[in-house]
Amino acid sequence: MSQALSATEAGAAQAVAPASGARLFWRRLRAQRAAVAAGAVVALLVLVALAAPLLTALSGQDATSFHPDLVDSAAGGAPLGDWGGISGDHWLGVEPGTGRDLFARIVYGARVSLAVALGATVVQVLIGVTVGLAAGLGNQLADRLLSGIADVIIAMPLTVMALALLTVVPGDFPRPVLVSLIIGLVAWGSIAKIVRAQTLSLRERDYVSAARLSGRGTFSIARRELLPALAAPVITYSALLVPQNIAIEASLSFLGVGVKPPTPSWGQMLTEADVWYQAAPTYLLLPAGLLFVTVLALTVFGDGVRTALDPRAASRLKVGTGRKREAKA
């Protein structure tokens, strides 16, 4: 009897035991319908980008082949047929002037835009976390020096700096890699300031003081004590950096200094579409609409991640936050 009661009590205790950190995070995230929907859109975009070669093979087209017979040279290169030349062979029509398949360029453009944004975010996080930790754990001189450098980076106009750097690099350097590096190198200041502020707060905690008193070095304390505690704010801010970097890449390509032809990019397509919006409106609307949807979905998903990691922070969204369900979670 006593064994049965003990088993029942243990089962009850296990039933009411708090969920682990990862499970609690997913539960809070699922309670936000807008963030879940945005996450599904982001997952679909990533899947399309990864499967670009397969999708173009299924359509029987590629992103670089010219089809001059599909454009009207007498009309300046406007696509033949309705809706930009949409047909069974060309699912979204063709590119004005060249006749290149628009579906193939769209899906490969998704790969380039997402890869550039993610690569730039990785560079920003690596530099920002390193500088922020060094400033927060260093002496007063190191803190002032590194914080001053971060302030200068933040104050610099990102687009102007990127334009200046992109124009002096040799043209044979892989352009997507170059754009990723430059965006990351001139936009890490904000995350460095966030990490520094968190580090200054965390280094006063008892467990960090105990680690210091035990004789462990600064690098060991940063790696084993501070980095796990910094994961949540860094992940949150990184999720919000990706849509920002997509917009920056698109603006640089729109200005003609980003990704160069024949490599497709949504921003580059917008650059070429400004003279075709009447003759071939789909050539303008498709990349512009996809950019809008991608940035919006990533922003909403990033806000959901931020709220799930820190329930005390109110969501910026007015709908789809699931506050009642979040409270239950």
Side-chain angles (χ1 to χ4, degrees):
M1 184 69 176
S2 61
Q3 292 179 350
L5 288 173
S6 299
T8 303
E9 291 174 357
Q14 186 175 3
V16 299
S20 63
R23 291 177 59 190
L24 189 59
F25 166 76
W26 287 116
R27 190 179 299 172
R28 289 170 178 162
L29 186 62
R30 287 199 306 268
Q32 303 178 69
R33 290 169 296 179
V36 172
V41 173
V42 172
L44 178 61
L45 288 167
V46 172
L47 182 62
V48 168
L50 293 175
L54 176 61
L55 292 173
T56 53
L58 288 175
S59 69
Q61 304 295 332
D62 61 76
T64 56
S65 295
F66 287 69
H67 301 282
D69 56 311
L70 298 178
V71 296
D72 186 0
S73 58
L80 295 171
D82 298 328
W83 299 100
I86 291 178
S87 65
D89 294 329
H90 302 279
W91 298 347
L92 297 179
V94 297
E95 185 180 61
T98 64
R100 290 181 293 194
D101 185 72
L102 194 53
F103 174 77
R105 295 190 66 77
I106 285 288
V107 295
Y108 271 101
R111 168 177 281 198
V112 171
S113 296
L114 289 173
V116 168
L118 291 173
T121 302
V122 170
V123 175
Q124 287 171 276
V125 169
L126 290 176
I127 298 176
V129 170
T130 302
V131 173
L133 274 173
L137 292 175
N139 55 32
Q140 190 175 12
L141 177 60
D143 186 16
R144 287 183 177 178
L145 177 62
L146 294 174
S147 297
I149 294 174
D151 289 334
V152 171
I153 292 293
I154 293 172
M156 285 182 177
L158 189 150
T159 304
V160 174
M161 288 297 300
L163 285 171
L165 292 173
L166 282 166
T167 53
V168 299
V169 177
D172 57 349
F173 194 91
R175 209 64 176 187
V177 177
L178 177 61
V179 174
S180 294
L181 288 174
I182 287 181
I183 294 175
L185 290 173
V186 300
W188 54 263
S190 297
I191 194 168
K193 300 290 284 186
I194 291 172
V195 171
R196 173 189 173 273
Q198 292 288 329
T199 302
L200 290 175
S201 175
L202 291 171
R203 75 177 188 178
E204 303 300 327
R205 301 289 177 89
D206 292 340
Y207 65 90
V208 177
S209 300
R212 190 182 296 113
L213 290 174
S214 67
R216 285 164 53 185
T218 302
F219 179 77
S220 176
I221 292 174
R223 181 173 60 88
R224 299 183 60 180
E225 307 295 344
L226 296 180
L227 282 178
L230 289 169
V234 169
I235 291 173
T236 299
Y237 193 70
S238 300
L240 297 172
L241 280 176
V242 177
Q244 174 183 320
N245 291 336
I246 286 180
I248 294 171
E249 184 276 328
S251 64
L252 292 175
S253 296
F254 181 78
L255 293 172
V257 293
V259 178
K260 297 290 187 182
T263 304
S265 165
W266 290 347
Q268 175 201 115
M269 293 170 72
L270 287 176
T271 304
E272 300 168 354
D274 59 350
V275 297
W276 296 105
Y277 66 92
Q278 289 184 331
T282 54
Y283 188 49
L284 172 66
L285 295 176
L286 282 173
L290 286 170
L291 271 172
F292 174 78
V293 170
T294 302
V295 172
L296 178 63
L298 284 167
T299 302
V300 173
F301 183 69
D303 183 83
V305 170
R306 179 184 65 86
T307 308
L309 287 171
D310 185 7
R312 296 169 299 178
S315 175
R316 299 188 183 95
L317 302 176
K318 299 299 183 183
V319 296
T321 55
R323 290 190 178 92
K324 294 182 179 179
R325 289 188 292 166
E326 252 183 277
K328 293 179 181 179

